[in-house]
Amino acid sequence: AQTVTQSQPEMSVQEAETVTLSCTYDTSESNYYLFWYKQPPSRQMILVIRQEAYKQQNATENRFSVNFQKAAKSFSLKISDSQLGDTAMYFCAFTYQGAQKLVFGQGTRLTINP
Amino acid sequence: KAGVTQTPRYLIKTRGQQVTLSCSPISGHRSVSWYQQTPGQGLQFLFEYFSETQRNKGNFPGRFSGRQFSNSRSEMNVSTLELGDSALYLCASSPGGPFSGNTIYFGEGSWLTVV
């Protein structure tokens, strides 16, 4: 079975600080994608960043970057220069070839304080 | 370009009733997926359709069903509603499906409350 685990239910940092959210996954698949989604109070899921498993280079999108450790099955999200608008639930997700679905972690509630 | 549109946004139903939720994907997207989000179970996959064919189904009872039309619009139906069906139902669309490498776009969800 494919599982995604987010070990931090809640996190809180001050504006402009850097924060890292943790995610581990379990799979026997070799061909897969990993994602981080953000869900603000509006509840719409917004893609933050995506990583292809076959790529060794860590994905980066502006202030968001990942640390993808394939052997350790770890996929953490780093948010630099955090902003108030980053306050949201963050979900780590995973899909693999043939799955046609996303498997989500339980989420981390991130609060950015002014 | 319009996003993923879900209707209705909010609804209240009584136990035993049935409900139909609708999802209009982004124009040109042929894959539509449905997810149930609850505080206790988190986000769980319901089913995925591509070109009117169900390609995958999650571990939900047969009371949960769906379909996709030729214009890619999708509906999901829940019959004989139970209190535990109260949830946010999210629809997602993409050009080719979750593993195609395309970005998956989500709608704002339909909030279902069963009383």
Side-chain angles (χ1 to χ4, degrees):
Chain A
Q2 329 292 331
T3 59
V4 178
T5 302
Q6 293 179 249
S7 59
Q8 305 148 313
E10 292 191 36
M11 296 188 72
S12 179
V13 298
Q14 296 300 118
E15 194 175 7
E17 289 184 344
T18 293
V19 60
T20 299
L21 309 182
S22 300
C23 172
T24 57
Y25 59 96
D26 188 22
T27 184
S28 57
E29 301 288 334
S30 58
N31 202 5
Y32 54 88
Y33 285 88
L34 293 157
F35 308 85
W36 278 98
Y37 278 90
K38 166 185 176 180
Q39 189 179 44
S42 69
R43 306 308 292 269
Q44 183 163 18
M45 300 286 279
I46 301 165
L47 179 67
V48 174
I49 200 163
R50 178 178 67 201
Q51 175 79 43
E52 293 89 340
Y54 64 86
K55 289 187 177 179
Q56 293 188 339
Q57 187 173 7
N58 290 324
T60 300
E61 288 288 344
N62 301 313
R63 298 182 295 107
F64 300 87
S65 61
V66 298
N67 183 5
F68 174 45
Q69 300 290 325
K70 191 172 183 177
K73 295 181 180 174
S74 171
F75 183 62
S76 60
L77 174 69
K78 185 172 84 170
I79 305 174
S80 303
D81 185 28
S82 58
Q83 301 174 359
L84 297 178
D86 295 334
T87 293
M89 281 289 288
Y90 285 80
F91 292 94
C92 180
F94 158 90
T95 188
Y96 54 96
Q97 191 166 16
Q100 306 305 344
K101 68 177 182 181
L102 291 169
V103 178
F104 287 91
Q106 288 297 99
T108 296
R109 185 178 301 280
L110 176 64
T111 302
I112 309 299
N113 299 305
Chain B
K1 197 173 187 180
V4 180
T5 304
Q6 292 188 245
T7 57
R9 291 293 317 282
Y10 305 91
L11 65 166
I12 300 174
K13 290 287 188 178
T14 304
R15 269 182 304 176
Q17 287 186 317
Q18 74 164 15
V19 67
T20 298
L21 308 179
S22 179
C23 173
S24 293
I26 291 172
S27 178
H29 286 193
R30 297 166 66 188
S31 168
V32 173
S33 305
W34 290 89
Y35 295 83
Q36 181 197 64
Q37 185 175 21
T38 60
Q41 298 298 317
L43 282 150
Q44 294 187 289
F45 169 75
L46 281 156
F47 20 67
E48 190 261 355
Y49 289 88
F50 182 84
S51 294
E52 301 180 68
T53 299
Q54 185 183 87
R55 295 195 295 188
N56 200 357
K57 188 178 190 301
N59 189 26
F60 278 82
R63 300 185 297 107
F64 291 80
S65 63
R67 60 178 176 169
Q68 186 180 35
F69 302 96
S70 58
N71 62 357
S72 293
R73 189 177 70 85
S74 177
E75 289 181 347
M76 67 163 283
N77 183 274
V78 188
S79 62
T80 320
L81 284 165
E82 300 177 359
L83 295 179
D85 297 333
S86 295
L88 176 67
Y89 290 88
L90 291 165
C91 173
S93 82
S94 73
F99 192 74
S100 64
N102 306 119
T103 297
I104 301 163
Y105 296 89
F106 282 82
E108 292 184 297
S110 292
W111 281 100
L112 170 65
T113 301
V114 182
V115 299

